[in-house]
Amino acid sequence: SYELTQPPSVSVSPGQTATISCSGDELGSKYVYWYQQKPGQSPMLIIYQNNKWPSGIPERFFGSNSGNTATLTISGAQPLDEADYYCQAWDSSTAFFGSGTKVTVL
Amino acid sequence: QVQLQESGPGLVKPSETLSLTCTLSGDSDDTNYWSWVRQPPGKGLEWIGYLYDTGSTNFNPSLKSRVTMSRGTSNGQSSLTLRSVTAADTAMYYCVRHRTGNGELRYWGQGTLVIVSS
């Protein structure tokens, strides 16, 4: 089983930058995906292949991946960015998710 | 626009079988894979497995012994079967459509809550 470790929570002031880490063994050799989930909603893909944006996702969501850690950076955080964020990667043909990070904007 | 709708019983008794269906509508957007992902109340996401449009499957080893996925009665449907359920299988079950077998889980349904209880 492959483990992805995320901090349980991150707090950020409006307009500031939030950083969410995702750690896993040799994660940098894999593609990492990020999903945003707001209360009562389905997860939504916001970053794919480490640093690409699906259509409609603002570029203030930025992804990177190197070594054993992938990072999701939210620049100019807005109240609407309050959500749970999950990283995901594939290992041995199985999809694994991080435990999720709750981002609070206040 | 890819739209997915999960359907099935919201309550299943312990030791029985959970069966869900996912229906695709709208543009398939070159997606060929159906994944199921579940989320226990207040907890994180767990990938259950996927079904490719040809019928081939790939399952999470932790659930493999209890899971079956198959195509539905029409090309736009996929089904999930989970046998011998326990309270630990209580979760929101999401259907996901995606383009490759090791890529992003791109399109998600709204999910359906399944409670395992007698």
Side-chain angles (χ1 to χ4, degrees):
Chain A
S1 184
Y2 187 76
E3 289 193 10
L4 293 171
T5 301
Q6 297 182 238
S9 63
V10 167
S11 294
V12 60
S13 299
Q16 299 304 303
T17 297
T19 301
I20 304 168
S21 62
C22 173
S23 299
D25 188 39
E26 297 186 351
L27 187 57
S29 66
K30 308 176 189 297
Y31 280 137
V32 172
Y33 309 90
W34 290 92
Y35 304 86
Q36 177 194 67
Q37 185 179 32
K38 295 182 178 181
Q41 296 185 17
S42 308
M44 178 178 67
L45 178 71
I46 58 171
I47 294 288
Y48 69 100
Q49 290 183 358
N50 296 333
N51 54 19
K52 298 179 181 178
W53 297 278
S55 176
I57 301 302
E59 294 182 4
R60 56 197 183 76
F61 290 96
F62 182 81
S64 64
N65 183 22
S66 179
N68 293 321
T69 304
T71 303
L72 176 69
T73 302
I74 308 173
S75 302
Q78 302 179 9
L80 58 82
D81 298 331
E82 278 207 348
D84 293 327
Y85 291 83
Y86 294 91
C87 59
Q88 179 249 313
W90 291 85
D91 183 77
S92 301
S93 301
T94 300
F96 291 95
F97 290 93
S99 50
T101 298
K102 183 177 183 61
V103 171
T104 302
V105 182
L106 48 72
Chain B
Q1 184 71 1
V2 175
Q3 293 183 319
L4 300 165
Q5 180 67 59
E6 303 88 347
S7 59
L11 181 63
V12 180
K13 290 181 169 56
S15 80
E16 295 191 348
T17 296
L18 177 161
S19 295
L20 298 174
T21 298
C22 179
T23 302
L24 169 69
S25 59
D27 182 8
S28 68
D29 194 28
D30 292 331
T31 57
N32 306 101
Y33 290 81
W34 307 82
S35 271
W36 289 89
V37 176
R38 69 180 184 178
Q39 184 173 36
K43 296 187 178 181
L45 302 168
E46 181 182 32
W47 179 76
I48 298 170
Y50 69 60
L51 167 74
Y52 184 47
D53 275 352
T54 60
S56 64
T57 56
N58 181 33
F59 302 134
N60 189 324
S62 68
L63 295 167
K64 186 175 184 177
S65 64
R66 298 195 290 133
V67 173
T68 302
M69 292 182 186
S70 60
R71 289 174 289 183
T73 53
S74 71
N75 285 340
Q77 284 191 329
S78 169
S79 67
L80 166 70
T81 300
L82 182 65
R83 296 175 291 278
S84 303
V85 298
T86 69
D89 295 309
T90 292
M92 184 73 79
Y93 285 77
Y94 295 102
C95 173
V96 187
R97 191 74 173 167
H98 49 108
R99 294 174 178 162
T100 66
N102 60 353
E104 68 274 14
L105 303 177
R106 186 168 282 264
Y107 302 106
W108 295 65
Q110 66 184 27
T112 187
L113 179 63
V114 178
I115 296 172
V116 178
S117 175
S118 55

